[in-house]
Amino acid sequence: MSQISQLQAMDAGTRRREARTVIASSYLGSTIEYYDFLLYATAAAVVFPKVFFSGMDEWVGVVAAYGTFAAGYVARPLGGIIFGHFGDRLGRKNMLIVSMLVMGIASTLIGLVPGAAAAGAWGAVLLVILRVCQGIAVGGEWGGAALMALEHSESGKRGFAASFVNAGAPTGAVLGTLVMGAFAALPNEQFLAWGWRVPFLLSFVLLGVGMFVRLKVAESPIFKAALEQEKAEQEKAERHQADQRKANHASVAARREIPLLQVLRRPKTLIFTMLAGAAGFALQVVLATFSVTYAVSKGADRQGVLYAFAAASFVSIAFVVMGGRLSDKLGRRPVMIGGLVLFIIYLTPMFQLLSSNNIGLIFVAFAVGLMIHSTLFGPLAAFVSEQFGTTSRYTGASLGYQLATLLGAGFTPGIVAQIFKDSGQDTSAVVLYLAIMSVVSIVFILLTREPKNNDLQTVGS
């Protein structure tokens, strides 16, 4: 029986159980990957300026640390291309295992990089190299995890299923911030000397847990069906064109076109997807980096700010999933646009709350910001993935999503910190910058076709 027939014959109960298993695995794997990736964001905000860029003006050191942070986002599209190519050729599952392995090893090694006092500039160089490895890994991770959840799910529940992958980001942020916050309770000298390293070294333990879970997950049924259909078509072509060798080779080559070329033949989809998602990542990363630094600079306790962000991230997890579920009802575009409009309105009061030097109000600032952001972030995984066909979906979704992160998040912390510094530490210029980015994303969401009812087995093919 063909994979397509098996997929159709599989009883509803079995499909639901398999879908739940895959969604849980994608959520756990995404949590571990983002623990590693976003742990770096917290460290870049409160540790790296002092450890790797000591001797500089405070905000110059912050900008330099955010520069190393940006390296991971520069590398993410490369990871999307590499892992997407092999994921569209060999399968989603194998690439998820490799991406987790790369991330776990790179994150563990970050915890061993010597600071400026011991290695001078070489410490920062090693940090950038390992950050690039993190970026490549997470660039491959997201697409595979999102597609596994999406392609195992029923049509009317895809936004809900894929949202669990994006829910891994705030969950990873909670885990990373709690662990880093616990070690931030150490005396400052001990924290900067060795305490910040322990959360990175714990990545090796999480790697073992993640690999155990990943190895038990089944490959995407839609991908297997597409692969079998392609194989059957090639065999048919070979039988009918045995006496036309050149034509046969040309036909097979066309069917085996490189996934990246399939995506680039429709550049409008890629560009619109990238610009539609950019602002969401800019807002996300500002909350995780600049906002933490800003609150601490206004006199708030560092550990208290970290715990406030962790608590707010925990609250936001449910809202990410709710955003995905709401998009199954109303559509991806209305929910995402609503989130961006609300965030534009909220930016000014958010910074006022962050400057209050009151941990309770700082928690409110983070919590409301992350809840609003979640309405945008929840539908985003499905919105991006549904734009591409099965045989190029890993590449297309990964590249579109990672280019959005590069444009929206990669340079935003450094740009925002520089704007803040150049404006005499006035947040109104920061608000204006983020508002403009949000308006640009709203325009491109409106220009993109609503994808929630797309047939994943035919779209883009």
Side-chain angles (χ1 to χ4, degrees):
M1 183 183 290
S2 71
Q3 289 290 350
I4 295 174
S5 300
Q6 289 175 12
L7 186 61
Q8 292 171 340
M10 189 184 296
D11 69 89
T14 300
R15 290 187 64 181
R16 280 195 295 269
R17 284 193 298 272
E18 186 173 291
R20 284 195 294 266
T21 300
V22 170
I23 291 168
S25 169
S26 294
Y27 172 64
L28 178 61
S30 180
T31 295
I32 293 171
E33 291 265 0
Y34 278 99
Y35 165 84
D36 291 331
F37 195 75
L38 296 176
L39 183 64
Y40 192 104
T42 304
V46 300
V47 176
F48 292 166
K50 299 178 179 66
V51 174
F52 294 101
F53 303 99
S54 55
M56 298 181 177
D57 173 79
E58 180 184 359
W59 280 99
V60 172
V62 169
V63 171
Y66 287 163
T68 69
F69 176 76
Y73 284 92
V74 173
R76 284 174 70 159
L78 177 61
I81 292 171
I82 295 170
F83 283 88
H85 174 83
F86 291 105
D88 283 326
R89 288 297 186 88
L90 305 177
R92 306 357 183 166
K93 176 182 174 179
N94 291 335
M95 293 304 102
L96 285 174
I97 292 170
V98 175
S99 71
M100 179 168 284
L101 191 62
V102 173
M103 176 64 86
I105 293 172
S107 299
T108 302
L109 291 176
I110 286 174
L112 301 174
V113 174
W122 283 107
V125 171
L126 290 172
L127 199 64
V128 170
I129 292 171
L130 293 171
R131 181 60 175 171
V132 167
C133 291
Q134 279 194 322
I136 290 172
V138 83
E141 158 70 23
W142 180 87
L147 298 197
M148 286 288 278
L150 198 78
E151 293 177 348
H152 275 86
S153 301
E154 300 171 27
S155 177
K157 299 179 179 178
R158 295 196 308 241
F160 175 72
S163 70
F164 279 89
V165 177
N166 277 5
T171 310
V174 170
L175 187 59
T177 308
L178 285 175
V179 174
M180 187 67 81
F183 284 92
L186 290 167
N188 198 54
E189 283 190 14
Q190 293 181 36
F191 175 64
L192 294 177
W194 60 268
W196 69 270
R197 298 178 182 275
V198 178
F200 285 98
L201 297 177
L202 289 174
S203 297
F204 197 74
V205 178
L206 294 176
L207 172 62
V209 175
M211 293 292 284
F212 175 78
V213 173
R214 280 266 157 93
L215 288 167
K216 293 182 174 294
V217 174
E219 180 58 88
S220 158
I222 288 178
F223 173 77
K224 288 193 293 184
L227 204 63
E228 182 172 297
Q229 183 175 351
E230 183 183 72
K231 182 180 177 181
E233 289 174 356
Q234 289 175 0
E235 290 174 350
K236 182 179 178 181
E238 288 168 2
R239 287 194 303 270
H240 286 285
Q241 299 174 355
D243 59 337
Q244 301 177 23
R245 191 172 182 179
K246 289 183 179 180
N248 176 55
H249 284 184
S251 176
V252 172
R255 280 189 292 277
R256 294 194 175 198
E257 185 178 12
I258 295 171
L260 178 61
L261 295 181
Q262 292 183 49
V263 173
L264 294 180
R265 276 196 286 106
R266 301 172 62 216
K268 177 181 172 182
T269 301
L270 185 64
I271 293 168
F272 280 26
T273 299
M274 171 184 71
L275 292 170
F281 292 108
L283 299 172
Q284 179 190 50
V285 80
V286 163
L287 284 164
T289 57
F290 176 79
S291 296
V292 172
T293 307
Y294 177 71
V296 172
S297 74
K298 291 297 181 179
D301 174 67
R302 178 181 61 201
Q303 185 182 28
V305 172
L306 290 175
Y307 281 150
F309 181 74
S313 297
F314 180 77
V315 171
S316 75
I317 294 168
F319 284 85
V320 173
V321 177
M322 287 168 58
R325 188 71 185 112
L326 189 62
S327 76
D328 285 329
K329 302 290 186 183
L330 304 179
R332 319 294 183 218
R333 297 193 308 166
V335 178
M336 293 169 67
I337 290 170
L340 284 169
V341 170
L342 288 174
F343 215 113
I344 292 171
I345 296 169
Y346 177 64
L347 282 168
T348 297
M350 181 182 79
F351 282 113
Q352 291 172 345
L353 290 169
L354 288 170
S355 65
S356 66
N357 196 15
N358 180 302
I359 295 300
L361 293 178
I362 290 170
F363 164 74
V364 171
F366 284 135
V368 175
L370 287 169
M371 283 188 286
I372 293 173
H373 176 264
S374 295
T375 61
L376 163 68
F377 200 50
L380 189 60
F383 174 82
V384 173
S385 301
E386 288 166 339
Q387 308 290 337
F388 302 93
T390 302
T391 55
S392 63
R393 185 171 294 129
Y394 200 143
T395 301
S398 294
L399 192 56
Y401 191 89
Q402 303 310 335
L403 286 173
T405 67
L406 173 60
L407 182 63
F411 302 105
T412 295
I415 292 172
V416 166
Q418 190 67 51
I419 290 172
F420 182 68
K421 179 178 176 291
D422 292 345
S423 65
Q425 301 190 9
D426 180 9
T427 57
S428 60
V430 173
V431 169
L432 179 61
Y433 174 79
L434 294 173
I436 291 172
M437 285 199 71
S438 298
V439 170
V440 170
S441 283
I442 288 172
V443 169
F444 280 93
I445 292 170
L446 288 170
L447 291 173
T448 303
R449 183 180 63 177
E450 173 59 57
K452 86 177 182 76
N453 294 320
N454 287 351
D455 183 348
L456 293 187
Q457 293 177 280
T458 60
V459 64
S461 57

